[in-house]
Amino acid sequence: MSDFIPYGRQSVDEDDVRAVVGVLGADYLTTGPEVDAFERAFAQAVGAVEAVAVANGTAALHAAVNALGIGPGDEVLVPAITFAATANAVVFEGGTPVFADVDPDTLLIDVGKLAAAIGDRTRAVIAVDYAGQPCDYDALTELAGRHGLSLVADACHSLGGAWRGRAVGTLARLSTFSFHPVKPITTAEGGMITTSEPELAAAMRRFRNHGIRTGHAERAALGTWFYEMEELGFNYRLSDLHAALGRSQLAKLGGWIERRQSIAAAYDEAFADLGALAPLVRRPEADHAYHLYVVRLRTERPEEDRETLLQGLRARGIAGNVHYIPVHLHPFYRRRFGTGPGLCPVAEDAYRRIVSLPLFPAMSDGDVERVVAAVREVAAELGR
Ligand SMILES: *Cc1c(COP(=O)(O)O)cnc(C)c1O
């Protein structure tokens, strides 16, 4: 299996190993100095005022929704094409996700169609930087301002990207990140929220710690055992082991994004003459972080062809993937919220046509050539 090419994979080197092992002998394995150091480094890397580390990207979304005070009766707009956790975070707090259709060229939330979905109960928009391409945050900020909504960026794909030269992490009221192994940097499991509002950051630091204001290191420093729980929270803390890995990984982000962009450019060029499939569109204002390289089948029977392509890749030792089933089609959402086919037609059509090809910084040029050759071979058989 050693020459099997997955669709995504972490890069972990000796520096990372040393950073983690070093923490094992320290005083604090969790809620210690490594978490503070990772938060400061992350805030600085993206140019945010505050960064709050949490246990995973789903916890980051949950903390964001909680910090905005969203609850029963409140509606939050989310794109139909995303990982389910984006919408789930609204449900965790008792709110209602309202699924918005996507732009057919980018699969990003279609800002032009959003106004029609805004009602009296709408409180926020969670925009998703699908595949690593930042959304149009100028249009989203304008829309949110006009309707008094909070803007959240689910930036789990787009760390290292930018919109009109402004870094992801500074483009919305709250921006959330995931450090799952396939994401731009990894801590195995981990997440972060950035914001320019210290009160929101403080609320999220309590939320990740059972709703308690102080951590045990702080209490030790103050020489007190006393604490009170101010509101209901969770244990969403990131450990110092994970934080040390994150800080070590963060130092390499720039080079990794460049490698992702150059692989994407090689794919763009290699597939430019294919009729059966085409990559998603990159907007000129976007600095695309290329978490995913997604192609769309342009054939008559896309579902059959998608299976042919995925099987053809697999037979050649290459994994493709599908990101994502539209969230409103999951059984849970159909049952709980009565959603189903027809709600977001652009997303539903795109879903039948999309395949994610392997893209990660550790791919060799030979790996890229193998993927190119395999896609071209299989594409020649499609739609016949
Ligand atoms: C990965 C991801 C999440 C969830 O992150 P976890 O760390 O896996 O909990 C949320 N939203 C999007 C868009 C993601 O890709």
Side-chain angles (χ1 to χ4, degrees):
M1 288 297 278
S2 64
D3 60 353
F4 187 83
I5 305 176
Y7 90 88
R9 189 187 149 77
Q10 72 278 10
S11 296
V12 174
D13 66 13
E14 283 304 313
D15 289 349
D16 296 330
V17 173
R18 268 196 298 277
V20 175
V21 171
V23 175
L24 282 166
D27 286 342
Y28 291 103
L29 297 184
T30 189
T31 325
E34 283 297 333
V35 173
D36 293 339
F38 183 33
E39 288 181 342
R40 279 196 304 274
F42 195 93
Q44 195 182 12
V46 303
V49 178
E50 292 272 2
V52 178
V54 291
N56 53 64
T58 305
L61 285 159
H62 189 185
V65 169
N66 176 273
L68 295 176
I70 287 158
D74 294 336
E75 293 182 354
V76 177
L77 298 166
V78 299
I81 299 262
T82 181
F83 183 56
T86 313
N88 295 353
V90 177
V91 183
F92 295 161
E93 291 292 296
T96 302
V98 174
F99 296 100
D101 215 343
V102 294
D103 176 275
D105 294 330
T106 60
L107 305 192
L108 298 173
I109 198 164
D110 189 334
V111 185
K113 287 186 190 152
L114 269 184
I118 296 172
D120 293 345
R121 293 163 178 267
T122 314
R123 295 279 318 280
V125 183
I126 307 181
V128 176
D129 297 340
Y130 176 76
Q133 169 153 244
C135 297
D136 180 347
Y137 284 97
D138 295 315
L140 283 165
T141 301
E142 196 275 326
L143 181 95
R146 187 148 37 89
H147 294 275
L149 312 179
S150 288
L151 179 58
V152 178
D154 180 340
C156 287
H157 294 184
S158 58
L159 175 61
W163 174 255
R164 290 188 201 272
R166 281 155 39 226
V168 166
T170 63
L171 297 166
R173 194 170 180 207
L174 293 159
S175 302
T176 66
F177 299 88
S178 164
F179 308 131
H180 179 277
V182 297
K183 302 293 166 76
I185 64 169
T186 191
T187 61
E189 298 280 2
M192 191 77 79
I193 313 100
T194 56
T195 182
S196 63
E197 296 175 52
E199 317 77 56
L200 289 179
M204 294 187 293
R205 289 197 173 94
R206 290 194 302 275
F207 185 70
R208 75 173 175 197
N209 188 37
H210 310 281
I212 295 167
R213 194 177 291 273
T214 52
H216 64 109
E218 255 173 294
R219 289 195 293 276
L222 291 169
T224 180
W225 56 269
F226 182 78
Y227 68 86
E228 282 179 313
M229 189 190 121
E230 320 224 357
E231 60 253 327
L232 188 64
F234 288 75
N235 179 354
Y236 277 162
R237 296 184 302 253
L238 188 72
S239 85
D240 278 46
L241 296 169
H242 295 87
L245 178 55
R247 194 152 60 97
S248 179
Q249 290 257 308
L250 188 60
K252 295 159 226 172
L253 174 67
W256 286 341
I257 297 294
E258 277 175 28
R259 178 67 184 149
R260 286 177 178 277
Q261 290 172 338
S262 88
I263 295 168
Y267 284 158
D268 282 347
E269 201 184 317
F271 305 142
D273 65 331
L274 295 181
L277 54 83
L280 295 180
V281 172
R282 183 170 58 82
R283 292 177 175 147
E285 302 93 331
D287 246 324
H288 197 315
Y290 279 108
H291 166 55
L292 301 173
Y293 188 89
V294 178
V295 295
R296 268 176 309 177
L297 291 161
R298 299 196 292 197
T299 58
E300 293 290 320
R301 285 189 298 274
E303 271 156 315
E304 281 168 40
D305 289 337
R306 188 177 66 182
E307 229 22 62
T308 306
L309 178 56
L310 288 168
Q311 293 304 327
L313 291 173
R314 181 154 287 276
R316 291 164 177 80
I318 297 165
N321 210 315
V322 176
H323 298 95
Y324 298 93
I325 298 180
V327 181
H328 65 283
L329 300 183
H330 283 298
F332 168 80
Y333 281 97
R334 293 187 191 217
R335 255 192 343 261
R336 174 82 75 93
F337 295 99
T339 60
L343 190 62
C344 298
V346 177
E348 290 162 30
D349 179 64
Y351 162 57
R352 296 156 63 223
R353 300 175 181 278
I354 48 179
V355 172
S356 305
L357 299 178
L359 179 55
F360 50 96
M363 282 179 86
S364 67
D365 291 346
D367 292 338
V368 176
E369 282 163 25
R370 255 180 71 198
V371 175
V372 165
V375 170
R376 293 188 62 91
E377 270 170 43
V378 183
E381 292 163 19
L382 297 179
R384 295 235 182 107

